[in-house]
Amino acid sequence: MLRWSATRSIPRYPVSSFVRRHASSDVSQQQPPAPSYVRTAAYVSLFAVGTGLFAVYYFDCRAALHRYIITPVIRYTLDPETSHKLAVRVLGSGLAPKDPIPDDEVLKAELWGEQLSSPIGLAAGFDKNGEAVDALFNLGFSWVEIGSVTPKPQPGNPKPRVFHLPNESALINRYGFPSDGHAGVLSRLRSRIPKAIPYGSGSESEDPLQGVEHASLYPDKLLAVNLGKNKSSPPDSIADFVTGVRTFGPYADALVVNVSSPNTPGLRGMQSRTVLAELLAGVTAARDEVSAASANKHRPKLLLKIAPDLDEAQVADIAAAVRESSGVDGVIVSNTTIRRPPSVSDPNKVEQGGLSGPPLKPYALATLRTLRSMLPPSIPLIGCGGISSGADALEYARAGASTVQLYTAFGYGGVGVCRQVKDELAQLLRQEGKSWSQIVHEAVAQNSLKETTVKAATAETAEGDKGEEATSRESNIRMLVEEAEELKRLLDGLGERIEKKAEEGVSVAGGAQYVAVTPRPTES
């Protein structure tokens, strides 16, 4: 029994199994598993690739990564307004890419005696509330225009209000001036200015720019603020624009009076000559007040932004109002259009709002050419509408635009589009053997209203006013003469009746009274 029990209690295993198990244990203790090397190598590779991609993303906005991957992914995965807001937030976060390449010498542009590094600027509408000013300058734009900014905060029109037209690389928007208001935007602009003088010194009220020459804070770039109007304001009131000039005048290189947005009811009506003359006089006076109160006599430029949907007579009225105003420094041509060209095939073309992108270009160019012929060379024009290449920019220069602005192309092409347009433009100019300034100077000299013609036009306007006044005066005199002749005829008739009755020695009825008439005395 004992032998049987012992035999049953000890299990039998092959000796080879112990040997194998012991051997495997020793190997596992002495050598790390092979997969750990692969994992480490994968982490290192991912880190290197990630660092390289971030370097490409951050230090070079021209990279294909932006144009062919990041921008299309954002555009096709998010709705237009969300992608717009995301782009502004990323740019304003400090993680935006930059353009490290200096601008070509042939691109230098001149505006009001200021020399800009290039003629390529960014139109209002992208950075509505001044959240990404410096990031946009770092992308290579020489002119950044924020807004439109309204005095009071307002949400704008109901959503959806932005629509892509990818078939035409175009956009329709009916934003309706969504704005953080003057106070919110002003605080952001103030926060950009370096504090050269300690807080509490009271110097900011005397010199808001703290001794800096340009509000852009760059020597060859300009910062503009586009002024809008609250939807709740009276349609013909100029108060919102006057308030905007007084608020942002000390913190901007240029102020743009926007009377051409199609998405605010009644706004385009302010382009009529009578209302426009009053508006320009009001904002000019406000700008002069800002300049007088500034310690360094900072005098922001005043520009008018007009629509591309004006006929020639309406453009002529605007030109006359600008010529007659002593304070308008330039005109931006143009805003979005309410027209839908037959060439637009995208289904979203039926949406209400302003159309921008390539389909806008013919209308904007035609309006610019017309206006250029009605203004003297001293008043520069800024071209805006459908510009997406160096060739487009050059076409505006030949029409007489001193500089140009991008908008829709920036949304479709991404952060590298400014550099792309500048490189194409520089190549075209070098092929032609001219600089941008030379092209513009020739076009402005050839297409602008000559100074003698300006004087003649002014005199003609004055003569026209005098002529109308003279015609009115002559008409009044003619009416008085006719009335006098009729009164004389009646008096003559009455006199004959009186003489006849006097000879008869009777009284003559005169209305409700009787007049006694005595016979004429006989001659002695």
Side-chain angles (χ1 to χ4, degrees), residues 26-58:
D26 291 344
V27 171
S28 63
Q29 292 175 3
Q30 295 175 2
Q31 298 178 359
S36 63
Y37 289 109
V38 177
R39 190 180 301 113
T40 302
Y43 288 155
V44 171
S45 299
L46 285 174
F47 178 78
V49 171
T51 303
L53 287 175
F54 180 77
V56 170
Y57 162 85
Y58 185 76

Side-chain angles (χ1 to χ4, degrees), residues 342-399:
S343 60
V344 176
S345 60
D346 195 282
N348 280 334
K349 69 179 181 180
V350 299
E351 295 291 344
Q352 292 183 344
L355 172 68
S356 60
L360 168 62
K361 180 183 162 187
Y363 302 133
L365 262 175
T367 304
L368 187 140
R369 289 191 180 103
T370 302
L371 185 62
R372 181 72 281 168
S373 67
M374 297 177 177
L375 291 178
S378 58
I379 301 177
L381 302 183
I382 296 177
C384 180
I387 300 171
S388 58
S389 67
D392 292 333
L394 193 56
E395 194 171 357
Y396 271 89
R398 297 191 195 285

Side-chain angles (χ1 to χ4, degrees), residues 56-90:
V56 170
Y57 162 85
Y58 185 76
F59 292 106
D60 194 354
C61 67
R62 303 169 300 160
L65 174 69
H66 299 288
R67 184 176 183 183
Y68 298 110
I69 299 178
I70 296 178
T71 302
V73 166
I74 292 176
R75 187 165 66 246
Y76 288 113
T77 56
L78 302 174
D79 66 86
E81 183 164 351
T82 302
S83 62
H84 180 184
K85 289 182 178 179
L86 176 63
V88 174
R89 295 289 171 83
V90 171

